[in-house]
Amino acid sequence: METNKKTGRYGRIFTQLEELVRKTNDKNARMATIAAVLHHKMDYFFWTGFYLLVEGELVVRTYQGPVACQVLEKGKGVCWAAINGNKTVIVQDVHLFPGHIACDSRSSSEIAVPLHDCHGRITGVLDVDSREKGSFDETDREWLEKIVCLI
Ligand code: SME
């Protein structure tokens, strides 16, 4: 998607989500709302959801899209790279990413954004897959990092 269009769309989504998350402090409700809004408003989002750290494992939580792996093999793949590096990871072609975990063979590019608790400790990731290569860029990173702060 062209940058100006992407920025405009994220801006409108962010305003909508700011309103929606005010209705509850419940983090699960907020994550579910964020996944649903993003998934249905961003047409290149093929899988949109959350993996949270549970006793040292990355376990799937609320998501939209095709059925996904429930637990991600430790230290492998894009989500674990975001956790271990404590920063957003953008992969233009998942088939070239060593250790990529293919929950669905139709995914081609991916972004994983770390989540933090109020003490700054890492708690999981927001993960988004696209069917096209090279779908995610700095605009996605900037806005998705802002959006996860709404949780
Ligand atoms: N591809 C991810 C696994 C999660 S799915 O994309 C939903 C990874 O390599 O961590």
Side-chain angles (χ1 to χ4, degrees):
M1 188 187 286
E2 188 250 316
T3 305
N4 284 344
K5 194 174 168 193
K6 214 183 235 193
T7 305
R9 202 168 288 186
Y10 272 123
R12 290 189 293 278
I13 288 173
F14 188 78
T15 306
Q16 185 188 5
L17 284 172
E18 272 182 319
E19 283 286 310
L20 288 169
V21 299
R22 268 192 217 131
K23 298 181 199 301
T24 175
N25 289 327
D26 186 281
K27 289 185 184 303
N28 291 321
R30 289 179 168 190
M31 288 191 290
T33 302
I34 288 169
V37 170
L38 283 172
H39 194 77
H40 293 281
K41 295 251 157 112
M42 298 305 267
D43 37 23
Y44 56 103
F45 283 28
F46 173 62
W47 191 92
T48 313
F50 293 90
Y51 281 89
L52 295 189
L53 283 167
V54 181
E55 294 169 6
E57 292 200 305
L58 266 181
V59 185
V60 78
R61 287 292 185 263
T62 184
Y63 66 92
Q64 301 266 326
V67 68
C69 315
Q70 293 185 66
V71 181
L72 301 178
E73 192 184 326
K74 222 172 198 166
K76 255 187 92 178
V78 181
C79 295
W80 271 109
I83 295 281
N84 290 334
N86 198 9
K87 66 192 238 297
T88 297
V89 174
I90 295 173
V91 180
Q92 306 296 350
D93 182 350
V94 294
H95 304 291
L96 302 178
F97 190 88
H100 167 253
I101 301 169
C103 297
D104 189 301
S105 59
R106 290 171 291 177
S107 293
S108 293
S109 59
E110 182 163 354
I111 185 168
V113 179
L115 314 176
H116 300 95
D117 65 14
C118 54
H119 305 289
R121 286 183 298 238
I122 195 155
T123 54
V125 292
L126 165 65
D127 183 41
V128 186
D129 290 4
S130 163
R131 290 183 73 167
E132 311 295 324
K133 285 183 194 163
S135 289
F136 304 103
D137 57 22
E138 285 305 300
T139 306
D140 298 277
R141 185 184 61 73
E142 183 192 325
W143 283 98
L144 293 176
E145 286 180 357
K146 269 178 77 155
I147 286 169
V148 297
C149 290
L150 297 173
I151 300 169

